[in-house]
Amino acid sequence: QPFASGQDGAVYAATNKGLAEWRAGSVKWLRRNGPVHSVFSDWADGSIWFGEGERFLRLRGESAVSFGVENGVPAANWESITRTHDGAIWVRSNQHLRRFDEKLGRFADPYHGWRFDSFRYGRVVAHSRGHILLGTRDGFAECDAAMKATPMCRVYGRREGLMAEAADLVEDHDSLWIASIGAGVQRQYGRGVWENFDQSEGLDYTSVWGIAPESSSLIWVGTRGGLYRGERTGGEWKFRVERETGTDVVRTVRRGPDGALWLGFSPSGLARYHPATRSFESNWAGLPKDRIKSILIDRQGQVWGTAGASGLYRIDAKTRKAEKVELPAAPVDALIIREDANGEIWMTSRNGLFHR
């Protein structure tokens, strides 16, 4: 995880050169000792955790404490950090998972040598139900974070159709939804109950890029073959294509406050779809017909779209016009745009990090 937001408004970035802090419009290097693979801001005590090289560090003020093999941290690239509801810090490499023991000042292996091998990057996510979630080569692992006498992990793999790369993950209402490349849509609910949706439920394309839940019984799915509507009726889920939106690849789906769906297509650009009236709007003056990589609807209702090498655009939903945002560095290959808890907007690009 390359970015973390501090409680005081600072943003921390893990880069190939080191650990950087962005505060009040200026950048300060906190560490420049080589690549930093992940960073996490601990709001509980103000410390910054980050993986540097094959070690793990905790920064408090100007003082950094380093953890290595001697502290229970195997030599690895530590790529993900999270804090569970009980206050524990968990760290993950592409093979290992460790929990920090505050009393002993070292990391422990709660799962007794279990290898959590991943295809690409090791990610760990704290689940609201008191579990931690990990993607592995064998599937999707759900592990007990409560530290009982014998903590348990359960892997949901080939049998559940989870042997595929996850493109999007959304927790909403009573469910955790996963969009996967090649295995359709997965839903977890209750206590470890999983459902998998593919051609059997009408989802013709199992390469799913984006998901947008609307309610506990309705979800919108962006696939390689267009937009699909998933609806639960009488306990069963059924999916059907929304033919009005065409058959291009839908890379991202966002739902606006008025119920309209904003769709990012590849390669045909941005569109707005109103499910109630089945009206589809795809021509936006000033916006190139390009691949839309990410869409943000901020808390003021403003719509933003990133279009790769074409840059960042501000979209006026009323006039159906798009305005290219002038950025300090040009040209910019715009990737992902998000809004933080303070209402500030951040955008990643191949040129660096941008902040508004």
Side-chain angles (χ1 to χ4, degrees):
Q1 57 207 56
F3 302 106
S5 177
Q7 196 169 16
D8 58 358
V11 171
Y12 303 93
T15 77
N16 288 333
K17 295 182 179 179
L19 179 65
E21 176 191 70
W22 178 292
R23 187 187 299 273
S26 62
V27 176
K28 173 185 176 182
W29 287 100
L30 302 181
R31 299 274 295 188
R32 295 198 73 172
N33 295 350
V36 172
H37 306 289
S38 58
V39 61
F40 176 78
S41 176
D42 189 349
W43 287 27
D45 62 7
S47 61
I48 307 299
W49 293 85
F50 58 99
E52 181 183 84
E54 294 186 339
R55 299 180 67 85
F56 219 81
L57 290 91
R58 184 184 198 178
L59 182 65
R60 281 178 170 172
E62 300 296 325
S63 176
V65 178
S66 178
F67 301 90
V69 176
E70 68 277 12
N71 310 106
V73 179
N77 291 337
W78 295 92
E79 298 165 339
S80 186
I81 316 154
T82 193
R83 175 186 280 276
T84 47
H85 290 278
D86 61 357
I89 293 288
W90 295 78
V91 300
R92 169 97 190 273
S93 72
N94 65 351
Q95 293 181 340
H96 309 287
L97 178 68
R98 295 293 185 268
R99 180 182 187 272
F100 183 63
D101 190 317
E102 189 76 48
K103 294 181 180 179
L104 298 178
R106 60 180 288 115
F107 286 84
D109 178 7
Y111 302 109
H112 310 295
W114 189 323
R115 287 173 62 93
F116 295 94
D117 292 2
S118 61
F119 282 107
R120 296 184 180 178
Y121 302 107
R123 290 292 308 276
V124 57
V125 177
H127 196 293
S128 61
R129 298 191 183 100
H131 292 77
I132 51 176
L133 307 176
L134 309 94
T136 77
R137 285 181 179 272
D138 298 318
F140 194 73
E142 180 185 60
C143 299
D144 178 19
M147 291 298 93
K148 299 176 182 177
T150 306
M152 298 294 292
C153 285
R154 181 177 177 184
V155 176
Y156 302 88
R158 189 178 301 277
R159 183 178 301 173
E160 292 80 9
L162 292 170
M163 294 297 290
E165 180 181 354
D168 199 5
L169 185 150
V170 177
E171 186 175 4
D172 192 73
H173 297 92
D174 62 343
S175 303
L176 175 72
W177 294 91
I178 300 172
S180 65
I181 307 302
V185 175
Q186 288 82 47
R187 170 183 178 243
Q188 186 203 43
Y189 64 97
R191 190 74 173 180
V193 181
W194 284 88
E195 292 180 311
N196 183 65
F197 307 116
D198 51 26
Q199 291 96 335
S200 300
E201 289 76 29
L203 192 61
D204 301 316
Y205 296 90
T206 56
S207 287
V208 177
W209 294 97
I211 46 180
E214 181 171 326
S215 69
S216 60
S217 58
L218 180 61
I219 187 170
W220 300 95
V221 177
T223 79
R224 186 169 60 86
L227 178 71
Y228 278 72
R229 173 191 181 107
E231 194 165 12
R232 180 171 58 187
T233 304
E236 293 186 357
W237 285 88
K238 293 295 182 183
F239 289 77
R240 61 176 174 81
V241 66
E242 296 289 285
R243 300 192 183 280
E244 292 80 4
T245 64
T247 58
D248 282 351
V249 176
V250 180
R251 301 286 301 223
T252 181
V253 184
R254 292 291 180 265
R255 185 171 180 268
D258 61 350
L261 298 174
W262 291 86
L263 310 174
F265 285 95
S266 175
S268 56
L270 180 74
R272 179 171 59 175
Y273 177 59
H274 298 270
T277 60
R278 296 187 177 276
S279 60
F280 182 72
E281 303 161 347
S282 59
N283 294 316
W284 304 87
L287 184 67
K289 287 283 187 180
D290 207 342
R291 174 183 297 180
I292 298 298
K293 296 183 178 254
S294 180
I295 297 171
L296 168 68
I297 305 172
D298 67 24
R299 60 186 64 186
Q300 278 78 42
Q302 176 65 58
V303 180
W304 306 81
T306 63
S310 296
L312 171 66
Y313 289 82
R314 181 188 296 110
I315 292 95
D316 189 321
K318 294 182 179 179
T319 64
R320 295 179 61 182
K321 294 181 179 180
E323 174 190 5
K324 186 171 183 177
V325 179
E326 296 298 327
L327 298 170
V332 171
D333 192 345
L335 300 176
I336 305 299
I337 184 167
R338 293 288 184 266
E339 183 178 29
D340 68 19
N342 298 320
E344 298 181 3
I345 295 175
W346 299 85
M347 187 190 77
T348 64
S349 77
R350 299 190 189 280
N351 309 69
L353 175 68
F354 291 85
H355 169 250
R356 179 181 184 272

